[in-house]
Amino acid sequence: MVTMSNLTSTMDVDELSNLLSNLSNYELSKDGELVEEEVSDQIDSPYDSIFSNAAFSPPMLSYEERGNLQQLTNHAAESLKSRNPLMDDCIVDVIAPQLACLLAMPLSYGRCKTLVQLGSIRSPLERCKSGDIPLELCEVIGHAEEFSFDQQGSQYLQEKLETATDEEKDTIFEEIIPIAMNLIIDVFGNFVIQKALEAVGMDKRVSMAQELDGHVIRCSCDQHGNHVISKIIECVPEELIGFLVSSLSNEITFLSAHPFACQTLLECCEEESDRLVMLSNILQDVYILSHDQYGNYVIQYILENGKPQERSAVIRTLAGKIMEMSKHKFASNVIEKCLRFGGPQEQHLMVDEILTFASGSDTLQMMVNDQYGNYLVQTALEVSNGEQFTNMISRINNYRKIAKRFNYEPNIILMIEKLIQKGEKIFKLRTSQASERACKTNVGWQEE
């Protein structure tokens, strides 16, 4: 059976408020006649403003027109049809009498409470949250801002934008773009912006990107805004957002050391041309960024994913600083990546630096005894060959003898033991691989 709650699927709160205000100054007398309600009979309540703040004045009905409840029913039916031309007549015939009876009650707290309980006066967002009445995207038009800043509303918009028509997508987009900057840095709104960028056409994506002009740094440093920047880089061709890359490259050192902005830079580095623009600025501060808790990730990314010449540029900049950097929590990670991803010649030069005696100090021994440097020595063992490898193993064995003789701390002895085990494991593996290659060579020679 159709009830009052059906109204919410066809009328928004403004339309229903206007309808209610049309009829709220009248009540039924004991004789069933519709008469104007006295102000003194009204009871103040939080809901009274729904009726008092009408978009237009209530109709002036003459004494003859006031008739009875049927008069009110007819008026309700006309109002329903005028605001909802597509509403089925049978639905109107059921709803109008119920609405007339309810509106004929005195304007009081009881009457308004009944309306709220029936769901007649609820915004689309409230209906979205309750989930008891289906809500179509077309009913959200005009309320996109309210939905975007709400957790459930934001999720609703994201889901609907995936299946919306092009017209609905464009309408929602036009609603949110004037407040784009506020949404971009909002905990819920930023997801709506990201989904909209995926859903709309390229012209609107560019329009959204242009909203960021002059605000790129601010958004990149925001915990929510940096995800929107990354999405724009992903969805919009580089040639259309030159201002964005330019803004980032001009503040490369500051942004690389920022917990949120560094993520945006990593996204930019995926594009080769963008990486080349930024690399020239990064190289000036490689040493500083390598020591930063966030900046070191940007340098590591270049070493792992950059081209050989880009890796070489970073390694050359850090040459001669291995001992100092190996003892630093963050910088040691950068040196490890240099060892792993450098070319054979660069690896050889770096291992040579580890095996040298700098300023009268044994670089290798200092690294072996350090909690961070020890891991670098393990990596050096993996990438070294021939004389370098043998020299390193021999010296590490001597350090073990010295450590035991002079009662070094147990943790240092343990680190040295681990290095020796690592060296033995690498030696056995290489010996085994060499034997296999020799066997394959002999088999091939015999077959010939």
Side-chain angles (χ1 to χ4, degrees), residues 40-275:
S40 59
D41 291 339
Q42 297 187 14
I43 302 175
D44 293 334
S45 78
Y47 303 98
D48 288 345
S49 60
I50 294 173
F51 304 98
S52 60
N53 298 330
F56 52 87
S57 302
M60 296 301 295
L61 302 179
S62 66
Y63 181 82
E64 291 77 13
E65 291 174 325
R66 290 173 182 175
N68 50 31
L69 186 58
Q70 184 59 47
Q71 179 84 22
L72 187 56
T73 302
N74 295 338
H75 189 85
E78 292 173 5
S79 298
L80 285 170
K81 289 297 291 183
S82 65
R83 289 171 171 76
N84 302 272
L86 300 180
M87 182 180 286
D88 193 270
D89 288 340
C90 65
I91 296 178
V92 174
D93 292 342
V94 175
I95 293 178
Q98 298 180 60
L99 182 61
C101 290
L102 192 57
L103 297 179
M105 295 168 57
L107 182 56
S108 63
Y109 175 77
R111 168 184 172 180
C112 297
K113 184 177 180 182
T114 303
L115 285 171
V116 173
Q117 288 175 340
L118 287 172
S120 301
I121 306 175
R122 285 194 299 177
S123 68
L125 181 58
E126 290 172 330
R127 288 172 52 197
C128 174
K129 290 183 175 182
S130 67
D132 56 349
I133 300 174
L135 183 68
E136 298 299 328
L137 185 58
C138 60
E139 300 177 76
V140 179
I141 304 300
H143 303 275
E145 177 178 354
E146 181 184 9
F147 270 67
S148 298
F149 286 111
D150 180 82
Q151 183 176 10
Q152 290 177 260
S154 172
Q155 293 174 348
Y156 175 87
L157 281 180
Q158 293 172 61
E159 293 174 1
K160 289 297 183 180
L161 282 171
E162 293 182 354
T163 57
T165 64
D166 291 341
E167 184 179 357
E168 289 173 331
K169 291 175 183 177
D170 292 345
T171 302
I172 294 295
F173 185 86
E174 294 302 324
E175 278 193 49
I176 63 176
I177 196 167
I179 55 170
M181 284 308 304
N182 292 330
L183 291 176
I184 286 172
I185 59 175
D186 182 75
V187 61
F188 305 125
N190 80 92
F191 292 109
V192 176
I193 296 292
Q194 291 184 62
K195 182 59 68 175
L197 285 168
E198 295 175 0
V200 299
M202 186 57 66
D203 56 335
K204 285 186 166 47
R205 291 178 184 178
V206 174
S207 297
M208 181 64 74
Q210 290 172 345
E211 290 292 316
L212 289 168
D213 198 0
H215 305 282
V216 174
I217 304 303
R218 173 195 171 194
C219 292
S220 297
C221 295
D222 183 82
Q223 61 178 324
H224 309 302
N226 77 89
H227 297 297
V228 176
I229 297 285
S230 298
K231 180 61 69 174
I232 289 175
I233 293 172
E234 175 188 331
C235 295
V236 183
E238 175 193 348
E239 58 271 17
L240 300 178
I241 51 172
F243 72 92
L244 192 151
V245 177
S246 177
S247 298
L248 294 175
S249 60
N250 290 338
E251 299 289 340
I252 194 72
T253 303
F254 167 73
L255 296 175
S256 296
H258 193 279
F260 304 128
C262 70
Q263 299 297 323
T264 303
L265 292 181
L266 295 181
E267 293 283 345
C268 281
C269 287
E270 292 183 359
E271 296 290 336
E272 182 179 347
S273 55
D274 293 345
R275 187 169 63 247

Side-chain angles (χ1 to χ4, degrees), residues 12 26 57 70 96 116 155 180 257-258 293-294 296 350 390 395 414 445:
D12 63 28
Y26 304 92
S57 302
Q70 184 59 47
V116 173
Q155 293 174 348
H258 193 279
Q293 61 177 326
Y294 304 112
N296 78 91
M350 294 183 73
T390 304
R395 286 169 62 175
L414 180 62
W445 178 80

Side-chain angles (χ1 to χ4, degrees), residues 281-330:
N281 293 328
I282 290 175
L283 286 175
Q284 301 175 19
D285 298 296
V286 167
Y287 180 76
I288 296 173
L289 292 175
S290 297
H291 288 74
D292 184 80
Q293 61 177 326
Y294 304 112
N296 78 91
Y297 291 111
V298 176
I299 306 302
Q300 287 187 61
Y301 183 90
I302 294 173
L303 289 168
E304 289 184 43
N305 303 283
K307 291 189 173 182
Q309 61 268 28
E310 296 169 353
R311 296 183 187 128
S312 298
V314 173
I315 293 172
R316 285 196 304 270
T317 304
L318 300 178
K321 303 180 179 69
I322 291 180
M323 184 177 72
E324 181 271 323
M325 294 180 69
S326 69
K327 296 186 290 183
H328 191 275
K329 180 178 180 179
F330 307 119

Side-chain angles (χ1 to χ4, degrees), residues 12-29:
D12 63 28
V13 67
D14 295 328
E15 292 174 333
L16 187 56
S17 295
N18 289 338
L19 174 59
L20 296 176
S21 61
N22 245 343
L23 308 168
S24 62
N25 290 346
Y26 304 92
E27 63 177 341
L28 289 179
S29 68

